[in-house]
Amino acid sequence: MGKPKKKTRNPGVGVDFKRVKHKVGKKLPKARNETDTDFKSRSINLPNQAVREDRSNVAVNYQNLTLKELLNQTSHHNDKSRKHSLVGLADLFGRHPEQLRLHAAQVLGTLAERIVDGDPGVRSALRGLLSDNVLPVLGADALRPFMPVIMAHVCGAMTHLSLDVRNDALLFLDVMMDHVPHLVADGFLAPCLAHFCDLFSAAHRGRSIRAQSLAALSKLLIALTSFLRRAFPEEAAAGGGGAADKDMAAGAAAAAAGPGPSSLRAQVAASLAARPGASLGADRSRRPQRSAGDLLQQLDELFRVAAATSRAGRKARSKSVGGGGAAADVDKNRHKKGRGSVSTTEVAAADGGGGASGGKGVAAAAAALAAVTAPAAATAAGMDLSAPSGSAAAGLLGAPTTMAAALAAAADPRASALRLVALLMDCWLECNPAQLTTAPELDQATALAMIATACNSLIERLLLPRHQQAAAGGGGGDGPAEQRQRLALTQQLHDLAARRVTAHFPAVMPPVKPPAAVVEALVRLNLQTAELLGRFLPLLSAAQQTDQVQAHAQSQQPAAAAAAAALPWVPSIVSYYVVALEQGVLLPVAAGTLSDGTAAAAAGGQGGGGSGGLSAAAADTVLTAVAAALQQRLDDAAAARLMAAVAQFAGRQSPRSGARLACIRMQHSLLKAAVNGRLFLADGVVAGWLEALPKLLWEAGGGAPEVSAAALMLMLDAARFAVPGSSMCDFLSSTLQPQLAPLFALQLPPRAAKAARGKRASGAAAGPGAAAGPDEAVDVAVLLPGALSKLPEPVARLGVDLIYHTGALGAPLLKPLAVALSSSALPAPLALRLLDVALFRLRDSPDPALAASWLLTLLFGPQHGQRLTSPEGGDLSPAWQRQRQLVDAAVMGLGRLGGAAPLLAVLAPQLAALPLTAAASAGARGARLQRYSLVRLSAAALGEVEVKADGGGGKELQPLPPLVAAALPAAAALCGVEAGAAASAEPDAAAAAALPYRSTFGPVVQLLTERPALVTAVVRHLTELLREATASATAVTAAAPPPAAAAPTLGCLPLPTAALAAVQLAQSLVKLQAVRAALAASASEREGLVAAVGEVAEAVRGLPVAVAGGVGAEHAARCGLESQRLMQTVTDLYGGKAAAV
């Protein structure tokens, strides 16, 4: 037990304060009255809230935020705030687009910084803002000054550490190419291609497993192909446009390129090349320029110093001097940031140069520049390689490991293009193309097809432009430096790509039929691969030339065999094209497979219709490649196989199909190559092409203008460049020319014309108001308009020009030409052009009688008096104005055939048999044109002079044939009356009356100006016409009561109208200065004219009184006034004799 506690005595008594015991480590208790000083203070900021502020006069968005506030929020630390600010900017620019135009610099500078934003939502909102609200509003002109800023951020995003940012950078580049592709391609093509090289390099694609996947590679390939497709748009050449036109257009576009890194350097280089010796005063705004050699030398020295400093630390740590070489540096720094990488082929190129290397990215770019621009860059920069400085610069360019070459390569898109091709070939191996024959996958086949497409674009547009291929096609060792360099580059590309591509060409249908999408991808792969291999065919020509020289010197194997050994894949590509054209199979079936070739053939002809298993696009691609292959030096057997396949393919196509158009354009390109000396085509081959084209034009009609234009261009060029006296000229004149006749017009035979008229009559009788008109009694001829009448006028003009080049015109073509010219089947300008061509070619006719007969039919033929209709009943009769233009043009063109006088002498017997002087034919369609033609021919013949045969140099007037001279006064009188009646019958009679008589009676006035002695005879024939018509009208009136009597006429003309025209014609003739001068010396002739005019006035006064109340009451009233004016004019001009009359 314990000891009991001792109790205190009186506890609590006498204790005022309790004693507190303090222990070590224990806190003292707080006092009750202690003040707590442990608090924190924060400031509260209450700015003016935008929601409650009145901003009625300020441009705000739906959140009442201004542009400045939204731009400030784009750099907010919160991702959602940045995204909402971009959405607010889109709303603001939609409401107030002028704010974007006023503050474009601030807006674009701020938005460009968000391209590398770390949040994917912000980048997505920025793409939508740029695509929908910013770029379309500003346009290319406003964006031009800000392109360097925007593209700097885009290119920076393409090399960002984050894979997502790099992928989205391609989307931003896609947005820029959607709206301003020319600004990106003209100013920033080189940096974009350089960054694509970095994206495809092993260093960037090896940063993560996801970046090495086929899906990531497919995204890069899609972005690259999309960029190249819009950077180098394909220009559709309707009508067979050549590459020269495209190059001219590209040159014009390059001249108008906007500011950018490469465009500015290109402009400076072009100006230096254009003015190599220009003085300083030639451009006072430019500072004195150093030579290009000095500049490259200084850049190289600066690089060497910087490279030596940067490598000093690495060399000290590695303890190895010159042991590893460039390849060791490449492998050691393969995955380091900013080091770039090269493919296996680039490493070999870099190692071959020797010397110190500043990294394999520099070595690869330098090697590419050395291969692409060895002497060309020096020439473009204005350097003279023969000078000492130029030689030093050339050495720098040739060194593949110097910084000078690397810097130049960074500004030259061709160097990046070459490196990109090498990287794409490495990607080709990554896609495992050997798997295509067994189990192809869609992503795999699509990626391979895109690789081939990208290589084709880079080679065609940058490395080996098509317009330079002709110059280098026959280049050999003794050719110019540019040709040798192009062939060397072609050989380098062949070694780079062909050895990898040909092992798997062509892709075949696998044993197990794949899905349709896979088959389509394999077809695209075959087409693009064949096109890629076709770009190396110029090596065949070069190899043959080189081997021919060596075989001749050393008596070795033939050149063709050696060339075939150098390019073993040529038979494969020839067989592929032959099978594609003959069978329509673009995806061959593997031997021993269970599937058939129907699906493969259909895969190449989706949407092809009647294209023989190939679609229009596929046919165009195949035929273009075949044309390029035939322009190279293929062996005779291969060329014959391709030509036969093309002919067989063309024969299966419908006339209006796109495949038929592609065939014609392909043949046209071969013809141009033959004309330029790059290809030999026998005349029989070209004749075989042309023989089927007239039928094609007839079948196509007006439904396929592009096909018709291509066919006409092919025939026109073949005829233009035919050698005189060759078999081609004989073919053109004897075979092709008669086949062209149906293209203009054809007159149906009587039986067919009768059937057409019966069909038209039955249709008219069934319709309402089918009463017979006054024209039913007129003879009707049925014409079938040709194919040229259905085509646009520029296309139809090609057919007219073709006639000129087919030689002298024969009878089978002249008759359809006369029919076409006498109708309204062809437009008036085209008809006049056709007449000019025909007259020009008639002088070469071996039979002058044929030319005279054709002119007789054209000017005096019976078809002018017929009503011309189409088989459907359409009216093809030409208007009078068109007929008059035709006669005027024909008379003016007779100077090429020896003049109008010889023609009149030949045609006089035939003209005498025509009713040219019959008053009953006045106003008839055919007789009016015949009289007009006679008057115009006679005036032209009288205006011609003939040199005397005595050798004295004198000249005398051409006499008219007696038969023509006898009928001319009466024909001229009737022609003038018809012209005056037509002027009076115009809708605007007041305007017609205001016309001067000289313009109304132009042909008659011209005739009497040339031969004034005919004036009295013409006026007397006017009197005879009026008296005969008056007597006939009086007899009719006496025989019938006045209400039932018909209105008096002169032929087909109302008598008052004809009388008014006769008075006006007489007044016009007596005023002629030539008539007055001719009658001034002969009083008897003057008195005879005055008496004849008086007889005309008397005949007018003797018109039947009943006429005044008829249809021509107004004209009858004017006749009296005009007759009085005529007598007053004669009195003023010819004196008192006229007053007495």
Side-chain angles (χ1 to χ4, degrees), residues 242-244 247 466-475 483 486 537-538 541 544-545 624 626-634 639 665-681:
D247 297 335
R466 189 179 297 273
H467 66 277
Q468 298 177 0
Q469 187 172 358
Q483 297 182 9
R486 181 183 177 90
L537 286 176
S541 303
Q544 288 182 4
Q545 289 184 354
T624 302
V626 170
L630 288 174
Q631 295 180 30
Q632 308 303 325
R633 296 191 177 184
L634 295 175
R665 288 179 175 173
M666 175 261 188
Q667 294 168 349
H668 197 185
S669 64
L670 294 180
L671 178 64
K672 290 181 178 179
V675 171
N676 294 331
R678 304 194 306 268
L679 177 66
F680 173 75
L681 288 177

Side-chain angles (χ1 to χ4, degrees), residues 724-869:
S726 62
S727 59
M728 175 57 65
C729 290
D730 297 338
F731 167 80
L732 293 173
S733 59
S734 62
T735 304
L736 184 64
Q737 188 184 100
Q739 294 180 3
L740 298 177
L743 301 180
F744 295 93
L746 287 178
Q747 184 173 357
L748 297 183
R751 180 177 299 178
K754 183 178 180 180
R757 287 195 298 267
K759 180 180 179 181
R760 178 177 177 272
S762 61
D775 293 337
E776 292 298 330
V778 181
D779 189 14
V780 178
V782 181
L783 300 184
L784 184 61
L788 294 184
S789 62
K790 306 173 186 178
L791 294 173
E793 187 174 343
V795 180
R797 194 181 300 121
L798 297 175
V800 174
D801 296 342
L802 173 62
I803 295 179
Y804 175 82
H805 298 282
T806 56
L809 302 183
L813 182 61
L814 285 175
K815 183 177 180 180
L817 292 185
V819 172
L821 292 174
S822 302
S823 66
S824 59
L826 298 178
L830 188 64
L832 294 177
R833 187 183 185 95
L834 177 60
L835 176 62
D836 185 60
V837 171
L839 291 177
F840 196 92
R841 272 306 180 187
L842 280 178
R843 68 178 184 180
D844 301 331
S845 176
D847 187 6
L850 180 63
S853 175
W854 187 78
L855 290 172
L856 176 65
T857 304
L858 180 66
L859 300 177
F860 303 96
Q863 72 274 9
H864 299 298
Q866 297 174 335
R867 181 177 180 182
L868 306 179
T869 63

Side-chain angles (χ1 to χ4, degrees), residues 51-115:
V51 179
R52 302 183 58 184
E53 185 178 354
D54 183 15
R55 296 182 175 181
S56 58
N57 297 327
V58 182
V60 294
N61 68 339
Y62 70 100
Q63 294 177 330
N64 208 23
L65 297 176
T66 63
L67 177 63
K68 182 178 179 181
E69 294 171 347
L70 291 172
L71 291 179
N72 290 334
Q73 291 183 12
T74 57
S75 57
H76 198 273
H77 63 86
N78 192 345
D79 299 341
K80 294 184 178 180
S81 298
R82 295 197 302 272
K83 179 180 178 180
H84 291 164
S85 66
L86 296 177
V87 175
L89 285 174
D91 180 74
L92 176 64
F93 295 150
R95 297 168 182 261
H96 307 282
E98 68 279 357
Q99 292 294 317
L100 175 60
R101 301 186 184 96
L102 292 175
H103 307 282
Q106 183 180 3
V107 170
L108 292 176
T110 304
L111 296 182
E113 298 175 357
R114 296 297 98 206
I115 294 178

Side-chain angles (χ1 to χ4, degrees), residues 306 470 513 585 621 742 944 1056 1132:
K513 183 179 177 180
V585 176
T621 302
E944 296 172 355
D1132 296 340

Side-chain angles (χ1 to χ4, degrees), residues 67 94 224 258 329 343 495 621 700 707 713 722 782 817 857 875 904 1064:
L67 177 63
L224 177 61
D329 294 338
S343 62
D495 298 339
T621 302
V707 177
M713 281 297 300
V782 181
L817 292 185
T857 304
D875 189 11
L904 275 179
Q1064 292 176 345

